[in-house]
Amino acid sequence: MLEKIKPYMNIRYFLYFFSFIAGWPCVFYLIGWLPHYTVNYLLLFALAILFVVIRNEYRLPRPITLLLVLQVVTWGLYVVIHGIDMSYFTRILMLCITYMFLEMQLSGERLDFVKTYNWWLVFQVVAGTLGFLLVVAGILQPIFEFREMDMRTGYFFGLFTTNTYFEGLVRNAGFYDEPGALAFWGMYALLINKLFVNNKKVEVLLIAGLISTLSLAYFIQIAMYGFFFYKEKGRKLLPYIMAFILALVLISSFNERMNRAIFGRMEYNEETGTISGDNRSMMTKVCWDIFLESPIIGQGARHLIEISQEKRVFVGANPNFTLACDGLIGQIIVWSPFFFLLTLRRYDKKYEWAFWLLITGFLQRPYDGTQLLYPLMSFTIVLHAYLQVKNMYESKPKTKYLA
């Protein structure tokens, strides 16, 4: 047993896992298990740069490096354009850490990082689902409470945490700040597994376990995932679809609150002209109006917070947030890695499917420059997609992207 574990007991794997839990959306620092995320990120930056310098191996492909440089330069200009907005320095720091972790991935077994990420998500999903069922059955109670980033109450159940626990309703957030975050990053794990590893057990555990988040966005994305990757299987897929729907029906049958959280949110609301689960329309409209005031470069991250406080309305987590914050230029720059991924569709359609799934996720949970996972996992997907294509066609390169 020790011999199997030994290869994973090294600094590289420690840094991999530390990058997943160092800051938001992971709540370990809020619980008090880790220092504040600013300390963790600075420590991560120092350790990662030390690792890369000692190894003295710089293998990152030129197209990926150029994408990183493009973002760094853009956010550097935004610092000045928006009146020394230091939030863009934070984005640059995250990109620097991302660069070092991409180099780190190329210094060992190439897929070790993505496998580590996937198993961390699987653990959260499986443990959280078990805890979710125990809570619904009245067996498990919160061990303690804590304050989330937005000052809402968080509940620690041992097997998972959540900020949604009241009147018979509970949703699995794993060890993230909210259930939607676990659903969002769980979809990343599902995509990474499908594109590069194709572990069927991981796929099944993620698909089934993420139901416990009760995330409407996840239900939409998993329907898209099934259509894109399994549409050719047709009837063979029917039993799995029925099992998925049956699971939703069983969970909704526990109580009325659960039923409203699942099927009630899918009902059409004639008064608003949207489905009942749509809680972003107002924020979307507010951000659109803010965007129109400065459509090219946006209002800036810091100024947007000030506007939000003045209007007394939360302006994040909606499709127009990045447009309001960074303008059209910023939106293109944020999505530039995904546009690059889309160019790879000429080699395999799965990259186009991944593009649409990722963009769909970004529409309800847009880029947040304070979270390392956004650039780290996005560039990781693009890096491995590029290398996968290059390995397939290295004998006869057909495009400048594979230079």
Side-chain angles (χ1 to χ4, degrees):
M1 182 67 178
L2 185 60
E3 291 299 318
K4 291 183 179 179
I5 298 175
K6 194 174 180 180
Y8 300 97
M9 299 173 64
N10 60 51
I11 185 64
R12 194 154 54 90
Y13 283 95
F14 167 77
L15 290 174
Y16 285 171
F17 186 65
F18 189 32
S19 71
F20 304 146
I21 66 173
W24 189 34
C26 186
V27 297
F28 287 168
Y29 76 96
L30 293 170
I31 292 174
W33 293 357
L34 289 174
H36 192 268
Y37 66 86
T38 53
V39 176
N40 296 332
Y41 283 146
L42 290 173
L43 179 60
L44 191 65
F45 175 78
L47 292 175
I49 198 168
L50 185 63
F51 181 95
V52 172
V53 169
I54 290 175
R55 292 299 294 260
N56 195 29
E57 296 176 354
Y58 304 97
R59 305 176 179 178
L60 197 63
R62 186 166 171 265
I64 310 302
T65 302
L66 290 175
L67 284 171
L68 282 166
V69 170
L70 175 65
Q71 292 205 356
V72 168
V73 171
T74 301
W75 304 142
L77 291 173
Y78 268 50
V79 170
V80 179
I81 291 171
H82 290 297
I84 315 301
D85 188 335
M86 299 303 291
S87 66
Y88 291 104
F89 271 123
T90 302
R91 296 193 191 188
I92 293 171
L93 175 64
M94 299 305 171
L95 288 167
C96 290
I97 295 174
T98 295
Y99 164 75
M100 287 179 285
F101 270 84
L102 295 178
E103 291 285 6
M104 208 179 299
Q105 291 179 52
L106 299 180
S107 70
E109 288 295 326
R110 191 169 293 171
L111 294 177
D112 282 353
F113 177 82
V114 299
K115 289 179 181 178
T116 304
Y117 174 79
N118 283 357
W119 283 113
W120 167 232
L121 266 295
V122 166
F123 171 76
Q124 292 185 85
V125 164
V126 172
T129 299
L130 176 59
F132 168 86
L133 295 174
L134 292 175
V135 172
V136 171
I139 299 172
L140 186 62
Q141 299 293 326
I143 298 173
F144 60 80
E145 298 179 3
F146 61 96
R147 286 294 166 193
E148 296 277 8
M149 189 87 160
D150 57 7
M151 300 310 294
R152 285 185 291 178
T153 302
Y155 302 90
F156 179 79
F157 288 89
L159 293 172
F160 73 107
T161 68
T162 188
N163 65 353
T164 307
Y165 175 61
F166 55 90
E167 299 179 14
L169 174 65
V170 65
R171 297 172 62 193
N172 174 27
F175 296 104
Y176 290 156
D177 64 317
E178 62 176 2
L182 180 61
F184 180 85
W185 295 111
M187 278 304 303
Y188 259 74
L190 195 60
L191 263 179
I192 287 170
N193 176 71
K194 190 64 180 176
L195 293 175
F196 313 120
V197 184
N198 205 24
N199 184 318
K200 295 298 181 182
K201 291 181 180 179
V202 168
E203 183 178 43
V204 170
L205 288 171
L206 286 171
I207 291 175
L210 286 170
I211 294 174
S212 63
T213 65
L214 305 185
S215 167
L216 183 58
Y218 168 66
F219 297 149
I220 293 171
Q221 284 181 287
I222 199 60
M224 293 173 62
Y225 178 89
F227 174 76
F228 286 144
F229 289 103
Y230 290 101
K231 59 184 176 182
E232 295 181 357
K233 294 203 172 182
R235 293 181 180 178
K236 292 182 180 179
L237 194 61
L238 189 60
Y240 298 99
I241 296 174
M242 296 304 296
F244 189 92
I245 295 174
L246 179 61
L248 292 180
V249 172
L250 288 174
I251 293 172
S252 69
S253 68
F254 279 109
N255 55 60
E256 181 58 28
R257 177 73 70 169
M258 283 289 194
N259 182 61
R260 289 202 301 270
I262 298 175
F263 294 109
R265 295 163 71 199
M266 300 180 189
E267 295 176 356
Y268 181 74
N269 188 326
E270 294 184 359
E271 293 182 5
T272 62
T274 63
I275 59 174
S276 297
D278 176 17
N279 58 0
R280 289 177 165 82
S281 291
M282 184 181 73
M283 295 182 290
T284 301
K285 184 180 184 306
V286 169
C287 278
W288 180 255
D289 292 338
I290 294 172
F291 159 69
L292 292 178
E293 295 176 11
S294 180
I296 306 302
I297 59 172
Q299 295 285 352
R302 185 179 61 190
H303 189 208
L304 195 62
I305 294 174
E306 295 170 355
I307 293 173
S308 175
Q309 293 171 341
E310 289 173 7
K311 292 179 177 289
R312 294 185 179 181
V313 60
F314 177 62
V315 296
N318 70 86
N320 293 331
F321 171 76
T322 305
L323 286 172
C325 182
D326 305 319
L328 285 169
I329 293 176
Q331 181 75 84
I332 293 170
I333 296 301
V334 165
W335 285 3
S336 59
F338 305 118
F339 291 138
F340 179 80
L341 182 68
L342 184 62
T343 66
L344 301 180
R345 73 186 185 279
R346 71 186 73 178
Y347 305 103
D348 197 319
K349 288 288 289 184
K350 68 181 181 182
Y351 301 121
E352 180 179 356
W353 301 337
F355 168 83
W356 290 116
L357 282 164
L358 290 166
I359 293 301
T360 300
F362 264 61
L363 290 178
Q364 63 91 26
R365 191 167 292 270
Y367 183 95
D368 189 317
T370 66
Q371 293 188 35
L372 175 61
L373 286 185
Y374 277 96
L376 179 58
M377 300 316 302
S378 298
F379 274 98
T380 291
I381 286 180
V382 174
L383 170 64
H384 289 288
Y386 172 82
L387 293 175
Q388 196 174 63
V389 168
K390 187 176 181 181
N391 288 339
M392 290 168 55
Y393 291 89
E394 60 183 359
S395 60
K396 45 180 181 180
K398 299 178 180 179
T399 172
K400 62 181 179 180
Y401 292 113
L402 300 182

